[in-house]
């Protein structure tokens, strides 16, 4: 299977980086296209094919992934449409804020549209740890299985409805930045307590890994695990109550809600 990535910006570059670490593709099966060749050099050095010509990029590709800014999606589609083979090639759009109905309108050629997907990963995809939301349209069960397998190899994938993409983006796309902000704040608290910044960050990261492992391993509600370390009159409950008095939970809830507007 061969894949073409149109765009090597932040998300396109992260996607290509993840694919080059994946078990599904050989580097030679990956083609990355970008108008400026400076961004292509790292992928070329790892064995991927690179080009500044989008039409050349899609030649022989089984899956074509569009990862450009929303404002240039139509321009890219207009460029590619004459050379895309709708019977053989799957098209995946990663550009945000473009509806499937709009994509289908732009892609329509002689009354036909390709097997089409809307995909919304986050930048964790570079380390094969993305949470990706996938919406198929006019896609066979075989094509859904094929595209889902690509993103499953790069993290976890949820096949969902288009109406839930904004919620998914708030929780996972924007959410990865929210988690980073917690890491920064907790690390700064560690510095105030006398730890070196890098040491504090490493402690926070390992603690987060432990929390994730506990929730995944037990399947419990977070409160169940919180109760295990919250003794009456203890330090944990004092810390939790202080966070709540300062609006911790409400700030998280309101921030995520704001990110889907």
């Amino acid at each position: 299977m061969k894949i073409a990535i149109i765009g090597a910006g932040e998300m396109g570059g992260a996607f290509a980086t993840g694919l080059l670490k994946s078990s599904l593709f050989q580097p030679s099966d990956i083609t990355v296209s970008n108008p400026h060749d400076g961004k292509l050099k790292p992928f070329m050095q790892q064995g991927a094919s690179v080009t500044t010509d989008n039409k050349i990029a899609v030649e022989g590709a089984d899956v074509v992934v569009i990862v450009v800014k929303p404002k240039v999606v139509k321009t890219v589609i207009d460029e590619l449409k004459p050379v895309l083979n709708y019977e053989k090639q799957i098209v995946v759009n990663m550009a945000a804020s473009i509806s499937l109905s709009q994509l289908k309108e732009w892609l329509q050629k002689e009354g036909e549209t390709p097997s089409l997907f809307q995909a919304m990963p986050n930048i964790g995809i570079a380390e094969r740890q993305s949470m990706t939301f996938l919406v198929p349209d006019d896609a066979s069960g075989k094509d859904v299985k094929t595209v889902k397998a690509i993103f499953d190899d790069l993290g976890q994938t949820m096949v969902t409805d288009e109406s839930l993409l904004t919620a998914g983006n708030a929780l996972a796309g924007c959410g990865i930045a929210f988690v980073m902000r917690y890491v920064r704040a907790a690390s700064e608290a560690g510095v105030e307590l006398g730890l070196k910044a890098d040491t504090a960050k490493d402690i926070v990261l390992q603690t987060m890994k432990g929390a994730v492992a506990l929730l995944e391993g037990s399947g419990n509600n977070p409160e169940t695990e919180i109760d295990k370390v919250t003794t009456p009159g203890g330090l944990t409950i004092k810390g939790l109550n202080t966070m709540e008095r300062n609006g911790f939970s409400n700030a998280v809830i309101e921030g995520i809600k704001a990110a889907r507007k």
Side-chain angles (χ1 to χ4, degrees):
M1 180 167 57
K2 295 182 179 295
I3 189 167
I5 304 168
I6 309 301
E10 291 297 336
M11 183 55 73
F15 181 48
T17 299
L19 283 180
L20 285 163
K21 298 174 182 176
S22 79
S23 59
L24 290 182
F25 294 92
Q26 296 296 319
S28 58
D29 294 328
I30 302 167
T31 299
V32 185
S33 178
N34 195 71
H36 308 293
D37 58 10
K39 291 185 176 182
L40 296 173
K41 290 180 181 179
F43 309 117
M44 179 179 64
Q45 291 169 351
Q46 296 178 72
S49 299
V50 300
T51 179
T52 57
D53 189 323
N54 292 336
K55 290 182 179 179
I56 291 176
V58 304
E59 289 179 1
D62 300 291
V63 181
V64 176
V65 186
I66 300 172
V67 203
V68 297
K69 294 180 179 179
K71 65 181 180 181
V72 297
V73 171
K74 185 178 186 301
T75 301
V76 169
I77 287 176
D78 288 344
E79 178 186 8
L80 294 178
K81 188 161 62 172
V83 298
L84 287 173
N85 186 331
Y86 287 2
E87 294 183 2
K88 296 182 179 180
Q89 293 178 308
I90 298 168
V91 177
V92 179
N93 175 60
M94 279 193 198
S97 306
I98 308 292
S99 68
L100 280 169
S101 61
Q102 183 68 83
L103 290 168
K104 289 175 69 175
E105 179 183 331
W106 290 341
L107 283 162
Q108 192 170 106
K109 181 169 61 176
E110 298 178 356
E112 300 293 330
T113 54
S115 181
L116 180 62
F117 292 81
Q118 186 79 291
M120 185 179 291
N122 62 31
I123 58 172
I125 204 165
E127 297 298 329
R128 300 174 67 200
Q129 290 295 333
S130 176
M131 179 67 241
T132 300
F133 300 90
L134 191 65
V135 183
D137 188 272
D138 289 340
S140 66
K142 179 182 177 182
D143 287 348
V144 172
K145 185 177 180 180
T146 295
V147 176
K148 186 175 184 296
I150 293 171
F151 288 100
D152 280 346
D153 197 58
L154 300 171
Q156 293 188 26
T157 312
M158 180 181 293
V159 179
T160 187
D161 297 323
E162 189 173 17
S163 62
L164 294 176
L165 284 181
T166 53
N169 184 55
L171 282 169
C174 302
I176 201 165
F178 303 156
V179 172
M180 297 290 187
R181 182 58 60 87
Y182 168 78
V183 172
R184 189 183 79 176
S187 299
E188 288 173 349
V191 172
E192 190 169 341
L193 294 173
L195 296 165
K196 291 184 178 180
D198 286 343
T199 301
K201 183 188 71 174
D202 290 343
I203 292 170
V204 173
L205 292 178
Q206 182 56 43
T207 302
M208 291 175 68
K209 289 178 183 178
V212 170
L214 283 169
L215 291 175
E216 290 183 340
S218 67
N220 287 335
N221 183 288
E223 285 302 318
T224 300
E225 298 300 325
I226 289 171
D227 287 345
K228 293 178 181 179
V229 294
T230 308
T231 55
L235 298 176
T236 303
I237 190 61
K238 290 179 181 178
L240 288 170
N241 285 343
T242 300
M243 288 181 179
E244 291 306 318
R245 283 195 296 271
N246 284 275
F248 179 79
S249 291
N250 188 63
V252 172
I253 293 167
E254 292 302 318
I256 290 172
K257 287 164 61 179
R260 73 179 297 272
K261 294 178 180 178

